Each structure stands twice: as structure tokens, then as C-alpha cells.
Amino acid sequence: MSTPATNLSRRTLLQAMLGAGGGLVIGFHVPVAEAANVASKPWTTPSGGVEINAWLTIDTDGTVTIRVPHTELGQGALTSVSMMVAEELDVPWAKVQAVFADMNRHVNGGEEYVVTSTNGSRVVRSQHPHIMLAGASARERLKQAAAEAWGVDRSAVRARQGMLSSDGREATYAEFAGAAAAVALDRQPAIKTPGEWWLLGTPVPRIDVPVKVNGSAHYAIDTRLDGMAYAAVRSCPVPWGRLVGFDAAEAERQPGVLAVVEFRAAPGKGGPNHLQDGVAVVADSYYRAMRALSLVRIDWDFGAYAGISNETQAREAAALLETPGEVTAKQGGDAPAMIAASRRVVTADYHRPYETHARMEPINATVSVTDTRVDVWSPTQNQATALEIVADELGRNTRDVHVHTVFIGGAFGANGGGNTAVTRQAAVLSARLRRPVKVIWSREEDIAQDKQRAPHYIRLSAAIGDGGLPDAFFSRAVWFAYQGAANHGSATADYTIANMPYRVANRRHERHNANGHIPTATHRAPGANQNGFIIEQFVDEMALAGGWDPLEWRLEMTRGMEPWQRVLGKLKDVSGFTRDLPRGRGMGIAVVAAHGSYCGACATVEVSRDGALSIERLVLVMNSGYIINPLNATEQMEGSACWELTHALQGGLEMREGRFTNLNFDTYPLLRMDQMPEVECHFALSEDGWWGGVAEPAAPPVPPAVANAIYFATGKRLRSTPIVRHDLSWS
């Protein structure tokens, strides 16, 4: 007799714990939404209400439903987009609810939402003009409808907090919503300037928090459909290796197994979300699928990449560091020659290894294929991508494909876990079995097949001149990027180094784009994350070699650069930075520009004589030009610090024989709660016309600030990560 399958969901567990009388005390409360909120099911756009434009509807009770075309992966897009629309519409925040926009409508209806991606810290900084315009346009259409009914000019109608008024007459937005929907403006209105804001700039709690805390939030992995099957997958552990064959006889005899299916890489299809050779077991529960998959005997041809390891890449990088590379930036005279002739030279080699996303929500996707339509649940940072992946894989018209946007349990770059082969796998399996199929990658498969942060090897040299400041600077970088730099945009080998702000008259920057077989892609604060660790430590090395205090050196070398000076000045005021601490204690600083913003960090650490590290305090100072929600911005800064600390302290993938070997949290540990320092956030905003991002820029300066603090505590310079692999003991 077969054992019944059991599926204990995260939601069921939360509800069970909350309902256990005295069985568990949780150290936080479930907040009650007292202002705007997400709809009860924001992943299902509610019916009802009058559509004023693609972005919003107004119900008879005055509720404004805002359709958000950006995914919610913890950075607050649901809240920030709703705030920007509500600001211009001028409606009570308590009357606002948010839902996810329809990607089928966007892709097939002329891209009404303009941009649907949620990456690069751009939702506010780049998209605010057209998002705010959607609210402003709706407001003016409401005013025009009222003006026509009242026989006055639109300029005589006031729109304020959901009410229209003119010369003693007054009506709610809802009363004129139907008429406003038919209004065509002769020209679009201007959006508000920061000085006119009433909602933006105030601390507003994120509206997605309550449903996430009470367990009702729907993630892709929560998808449950009638008749749904589950699939466990194993692709070649060496990327782009070949499946020679497999024996599934024992797996097929297991209870609940529905099918064993092979995947084959298509010729010429070598992109990061394309299929690789692999085997899937489909069953009536994920447990049964996983158990049966473990019984499949697979024969792989690992191919030419089987000889690659961390060590072979390090040797290749060492050789390339001795070879001239592509010039990415230069100014002034012959910097290498000047360094070679100098009597006071600072030089160092730095390294950051492969690092993985390790998202809280394992990589997964669910697809339901029928003759008339295809439905998709996939955790991507751009839900239009999920639609296009499935349409491409199945050869279906995009009008037939419907994406159900849900919450994402972490993305951190690479367009989320759904922008891997998993979404294609689910589409193939559903089309074959003619029933909904959910594919979940085990944590081992997740890390093995993720698109990793590319490893960097960088050599830096500087000639220190009169006054202790550098006269010449040279860098040469090597990175191992799959399909080269074109796959990464700005996340290049020497980003934040070649464009560093420091006023060195003579500079030359070079790089080598080394080919790697490991799929690589962006991670939070791409390029700046690895290279911030590198350049901001080398800045300390240059400063100390010239007899300068590291903070004063940075202030001197950025004179006349207002955004940098603003951050450094504020950091000096609030951090208490000093080198005058007893042995074993240290403070370190760093400042990095990323995503249009400037962020400084000051870390305070304590290191015991036997090398035990404690990071006690982080002070962060952000200049992003403007802030529309200081509460959410603070949360993003704290999250950024946590993200980059975990990789710099403990991250780093080990590659042997072409594959990664540390594939779960026992060997790739994440930061623990008791390791997280106190984080203090400050803003030093220029507010002079430019907008920067917030979700990523606080990450890059944190690791170098910690490493610089460790140096002052121990005298040891850390030129590679993970930090935990260094001997920090001192005497």
C-alpha cells in the first residue's frame, strides 16, 4: 500500500504556529493596515470600478485600485508605485489599494505600462516621470469631466483628496469616474516638483507587509491548481555537459510517479534561460518526485569543461594579469611608465570568487498548457519575460500566454529565479502531460544551475607623489563571464574602478574578458559589489602610504564633487570615525557610487586575539538626490548591508571538475541573525534635480568598510573574500 503524500505549506505552518495556544511566542506582532493596502489577492486583479486609464480604477465607494506593473520582491514597488500615482491623483492614502498589472495586456496591447522590469534600482529613479504622469493625467481627466458638467473651465476645478470642487459645488472622484474615462486631454499635464509633494517624502509603511506576516501572501512556489503534478529536475552538474543516457526503471516503479522526461539543449540555444540536458521526474507530490529522481541512474558526458576549477581559473587569471588588456579608460600621461619610475609605489592583487544568489524562495515555476491558453506562475523581476519565455518555448502566440504575477521570495538580480531554465522546463512538461506542472529545483540544483556572480581578479598600482597623494594610477582586471561582457551590461570587470571619482591626473584601466562556462549574470549592485570591496580598500592603502587619514584623503580627492562631499561630510559628522582605538578594535570607512546614488559606510569591529570577528555597528549615509519614502529607503539600506555582508563574509563557490561542490547552506552559509550588526542610516540628499536608486547602492561600501576596520584592528589587509577564510588572529 502506498503512503499518502503530505504537503505542508509555509502558510499552513504559520497558521498552525499562530493558533497554537501558548505553544509558540513570536517576537513581533502582526500589523494592522491602517492606510493603503494590497488587495486581498493582489495577484488577481479585482473586477469592478471604472478604469480611468491602464494604471487605475475608481470604485463607487471611492477606493482607488492602482495597477502596479512591477514585481514585488521586497524592495517596495507595490508601495512606491502606488505612492507616486496617489501623489498626483491626490487621493486619500487610506482609499488606495494595489494590485499587479496584467502582463498579457502590456505585451499585446502596445506596452501601456512603458517599463515592467524591476531591476537596477530604477523603479523610482527612472520610472517616476511616466508613473506620476498616469496619476496626473487621471486627475486632470476627472477635473475636465467635472468642468464640463458644471460649465466652468478646468482650471476652476480643484481636485483634492478624492474630492472635486468649484464655486461651492462638490463631488467625489467616483461620481465623475465614468465621464472621466471618456475624456481625451489635448495635452498631458506636468508632474509635480518635490516642493509640491504632500505624500511623497513622508515615511509610509510598506503595504505588502501585513499579508507577508500573516501568511496569506502568494508566492510562485505557493501555486496550487486542480490536477497539478510536481516535477523534480537534475541537469548536468557541469553546465552544458551532455546527457548520454539514463535508467529510470526503478524510479518509474515508485508510487505516484507519472513520467520521467529528458531535456535536451537545443542547438544554438545557449542563453541563461535556455534548456540544458537533464532529466525530470513528474509525480503527484514533490516529495515523491524527488525520491524517484534519486533512483534514476544518469550517465553524463561532462565535456571539455570538466577540467576547470577555482585553481585553474586562478592560474589563467595570473597569466592574464601579466598581459596587456583592453583599455577601458585613461587620462593624462603614461600612468604605467610613471608608476615604474616612481620611488614610492603601492601595488596589490585582489580577488572575489563566484557567488550565488541563494534566494529564500528556491527556483521554481508552474505552467498550465491547454489548447486555448497557457497560464504561468514564475518568479521573475519582469513578468513580461516569463510570458515571452513560455511563448518562445512552446511556439505559442503571446496573446495565448497569461502570466499571474505573485510575490517573489528574493531575486537580487539575473531577472529572478524564473529567468533560468526552470520556466521552460515547466512549459515543456505541462505541454507533454497536458496538465499543470510545478517544477521546483532542490537547493542543490538551485545553486548548481543558478546564474552566478562572476569572479574577479584585479591588480592595482599607484605612484605616490609629493603631498602623499597619487600621481598615477593603473588597474588591470580579469573576470570570467559567460558569453562575455555583453551579457552583463555595466557589471564589467572594472566597474567602479575605471570610473572612480578620485582626482588622479594620470590613469589607465585595462581588463580581460575571460570566457567561462558557468552561466553568470547580475547580482544586487552588479559590478560595484565586487569592485567596491577592492577599490575602497586600495584607497586606504594609498592614503596610509602617503601619510593621510583615510577619511581626509577621500575628502581631499573629491574636492568640488558635491554629491561625494555631501556624503563624506555627513559620514564624518555622524560616524565618529577614528583610528585611535585599542588593539583588537577598529573602524573603517568606504564610499561607492552605484545606480546613480552615492553611499558611504563606516564599520566598527572587534577582533579577539584568536581571530573571532564581531561587527558591532554600521553607519550608512545615502545621497540619492531625492527620497520618496524614507522609511522604505532605510529598510532597503539595511537589507543591502545584510545582503553584501553575507557574501563578503561567508560566500564563495568552490568549483572542482567543472562543477560547484558547496551546494547547500551547510557549506554555503548565509549571515545569521546574531551576526548582523546594528545599522544606523542617514540621508545627505542633494535635491538639485537628479534622482538615484536606493535598493542597491548601500551594499557595495559595506564589505570594504568592514575590511578596512579589520585592518585597523589587526594590521591584516584582506584582499580576497570570503573573509571567514582569513586568519584574523593577532598578538
Side-chain angles (χ1 to χ4, degrees):
M1 184 175 67
S2 63
T3 303
T6 300
N7 288 304
L8 180 62
S9 71
R10 166 183 50 80
R11 182 174 297 108
T12 302
L13 180 61
L14 271 174
Q15 291 170 343
M17 291 190 300
L18 289 168
L24 176 66
V25 177
I26 300 178
F28 56 83
H29 71 282
V30 179
V32 177
E34 295 178 347
N37 60 87
V38 294
S40 60
K41 295 184 177 180
W43 45 91
T44 303
T45 302
S47 59
V50 176
E51 178 179 296
I52 307 301
N53 57 36
W55 291 80
L56 63 96
T57 65
I58 300 178
D59 292 344
T60 55
D61 67 353
T63 297
V64 176
T65 299
I66 296 174
R67 296 166 176 160
V68 178
H70 299 279
T71 49
E72 179 54 75
L73 39 115
Q75 88 293 10
L78 277 172
T79 306
S80 60
V81 171
S82 298
M83 287 180 68
M84 288 186 282
V85 174
E87 170 68 51
E88 289 287 354
L89 184 60
D90 207 326
V91 63
W93 184 237
K95 299 295 287 186
V96 170
Q97 68 172 357
V99 299
F100 293 117
D102 181 357
M103 288 300 100
N104 186 285
R105 172 177 179 166
H106 172 77
V107 170
N108 298 298
E111 298 186 341
E112 292 174 293
Y113 297 107
V114 187
V115 175
T116 57
S117 60
T118 310
N119 66 335
S121 298
R122 288 182 290 204
V123 169
V124 173
R125 71 177 171 118
S126 299
Q127 318 312 337
H128 74 272
H130 70 258
I131 293 173
M132 294 177 71
L133 180 59
S137 177
R139 181 194 68 233
E140 293 305 305
R141 290 166 72 179
L142 286 162
K143 288 171 62 178
Q144 182 63 34
E148 293 175 2
W150 294 337
V152 299
D153 189 81
R154 191 202 321 167
S155 62
V157 180
R158 184 186 186 204
R160 174 67 176 159
Q161 293 298 285
M163 299 296 297
L164 298 160
S165 60
S166 178
D167 294 330
R169 285 167 293 196
E170 189 173 72
T172 66
Y173 284 3
E175 291 176 70
F176 281 104
V183 168
L185 299 175
D186 54 355
R187 64 178 182 274
Q188 293 292 1
I191 63 173
K192 295 178 182 178
T193 62
E196 299 172 300
W197 292 345
W198 64 272
L199 177 61
L200 299 184
T202 63
V204 175
R206 273 183 22 204
I207 60 180
D208 55 309
V209 170
V211 295
K212 288 181 175 178
V213 172
N214 69 23
S216 64
H218 190 116
Y219 294 81
I221 204 167
D222 293 327
T223 303
R224 300 285 189 273
L225 303 172
D226 291 342
M228 187 173 75
Y230 300 78
V233 175
R234 183 173 301 141
S235 294
C236 185
V238 177
W240 312 112
R242 188 172 64 87
L243 174 64
V244 176
F246 62 95
D247 180 356
E250 183 63 24
E252 290 172 333
R253 287 194 288 267
Q254 299 306 304
V257 171
L258 303 172
V260 179
V261 179
E262 68 178 53
F263 297 119
R264 292 288 182 177
K269 300 289 187 180
N273 65 38
H274 285 118
L275 295 174
Q276 296 196 40
D277 282 15
V279 176
V281 173
V282 187
D284 61 2
S285 77
Y286 182 63
Y287 170 78
R288 285 175 166 174
M290 279 289 293
R291 184 175 182 278
L293 180 62
S294 70
L295 300 174
V296 178
R297 291 182 293 172
I298 305 176
D299 184 14
W300 303 108
D301 176 1
F302 297 126
Y305 301 128
I308 298 176
S309 65
N310 291 110
E311 290 73 23
T312 63
Q313 283 192 338
R315 289 195 293 270
E316 182 179 351
L320 288 172
L321 287 174
E322 302 296 334
T323 306
E326 171 194 0
V327 177
T328 57
K330 65 178 180 179
Q331 68 181 46
D334 188 343
M338 296 174 70
I339 293 170
S342 174
R343 290 177 296 176
R344 189 161 42 157
V345 174
V346 181
T347 188
D349 287 1
Y350 280 85
H351 169 54
R352 291 290 299 266
Y354 281 112
E355 292 163 358
T356 195
H357 290 97
R359 306 169 183 94
M360 181 180 295
E361 179 184 17
I363 290 175
N364 73 95
T366 300
V367 177
S368 176
V369 179
T370 68
D371 292 338
T372 57
R373 64 180 281 152
V374 181
D375 291 274
V376 184
W377 293 259
S378 177
T380 60
Q381 290 173 252
N382 183 350
Q383 288 293 291
T385 298
L387 186 155
E388 290 158 355
I389 287 173
V390 171
D392 175 70
E393 184 62 36
L394 300 179
R396 297 286 291 261
N397 190 304
T398 55
R399 294 185 182 279
D400 296 338
V401 184
H402 300 264
V403 169
H404 301 265
T405 304
V406 290
F407 293 113
I408 299 178
F412 311 115
N415 203 346
N419 191 40
T420 59
V422 70
T423 304
R424 293 183 185 272
Q425 291 171 346
V428 168
L429 294 173
S430 180
R432 175 163 175 169
L433 275 69
R434 309 307 291 180
R435 64 192 294 177
V437 176
K438 177 191 290 185
V439 178
I440 305 175
W441 288 3
S442 67
R443 183 58 69 183
E444 288 77 10
E445 187 76 1
D446 179 312
I447 294 179
Q449 304 298 335
D450 188 21
K451 293 177 287 185
Q452 318 297 353
R453 179 187 284 180
H456 288 203
Y457 298 80
I458 298 182
R459 176 168 295 165
L460 304 157
S461 300
I464 308 300
D466 295 338
L469 298 173
D471 288 334
F473 184 94
F474 174 74
S475 71
R476 182 176 290 156
V478 178
W479 71 329
F480 290 86
Y482 178 69
Q483 295 187 335
N487 193 44
H488 291 255
S490 63
T492 53
D494 57 0
Y495 181 68
T496 72
I497 297 175
N499 61 331
M500 69 178 187
Y502 304 116
R503 296 180 296 102
V504 182
N506 307 287
R507 289 166 54 171
R508 182 181 177 90
H509 304 278
E510 299 176 1
R511 75 172 176 211
H512 290 281
N513 293 321
N515 289 324
H517 70 292
I518 300 295
T520 50
T522 55
H523 279 226
R524 193 171 191 175
N529 41 32
Q530 296 109 311
N531 294 334
F533 173 81
I534 293 168
I535 185 60
E536 283 299 294
Q537 279 201 83
F538 194 68
V539 162
D540 263 33
E541 294 197 61
M542 289 188 290
L544 295 174
W548 279 77
D549 174 88
L551 180 53
E552 297 301 327
W553 188 99
R554 289 171 171 84
L555 283 164
E556 174 65 23
M557 294 295 284
T558 58
R559 277 190 297 111
M561 304 177 190
E562 191 271 347
W564 294 88
Q565 290 282 296
R566 187 177 291 271
V567 168
L568 288 163
K570 183 73 169 182
L571 193 64
K572 183 176 181 178
D573 291 342
V574 300
S575 69
F577 173 74
T578 179
R579 290 183 291 161
D580 187 20
L581 292 175
R583 185 78 163 162
R585 289 181 57 80
M587 298 181 74
I589 60 166
V591 58
V592 179
H595 300 84
S597 293
Y598 308 80
C599 189
C602 179
T604 303
V605 307
E606 182 170 354
V607 184
S608 67
R609 288 184 179 274
D610 61 0
L613 170 66
S614 173
I615 305 170
E616 298 179 349
R617 180 176 177 242
L618 281 175
V619 177
L620 303 176
V621 176
M622 174 73 74
N623 184 358
S624 56
Y626 298 94
I627 290 290
I628 70 164
N629 187 347
L631 176 60
N632 190 33
T634 297
E635 293 167 348
Q636 289 306 296
M637 292 168 69
E638 293 168 344
S640 293
C642 181
W643 164 260
E644 200 54 40
L645 268 180
T646 198
H647 289 289
L649 284 174
Q650 300 171 162
L653 288 165
E654 294 290 334
M655 184 163 54
R656 298 283 183 271
E657 299 178 332
R659 73 194 76 172
F660 295 120
T661 59
N662 51 331
L663 301 177
N664 211 318
F665 296 137
D666 56 338
T667 51
Y668 195 100
L670 302 184
L671 200 68
R672 304 289 181 174
M673 290 180 70
D674 62 355
Q675 295 174 294
M676 186 65 192
E678 173 190 351
V679 181
E680 182 182 314
C681 298
H682 300 268
F683 299 100
L685 304 175
S686 293
E687 296 183 332
D688 58 357
W690 59 270
W691 292 65
V694 172
E696 297 168 89
V702 171
V706 170
N708 286 333
I710 291 171
Y711 174 81
F712 287 121
T714 67
K716 294 185 174 183
R717 179 64 64 189
L718 310 182
R719 297 195 176 97
S720 66
T721 59
I723 290 172
V724 294
R725 295 185 189 170
H726 290 271
D727 177 10
L728 302 183
S729 61
W730 56 273
S731 57

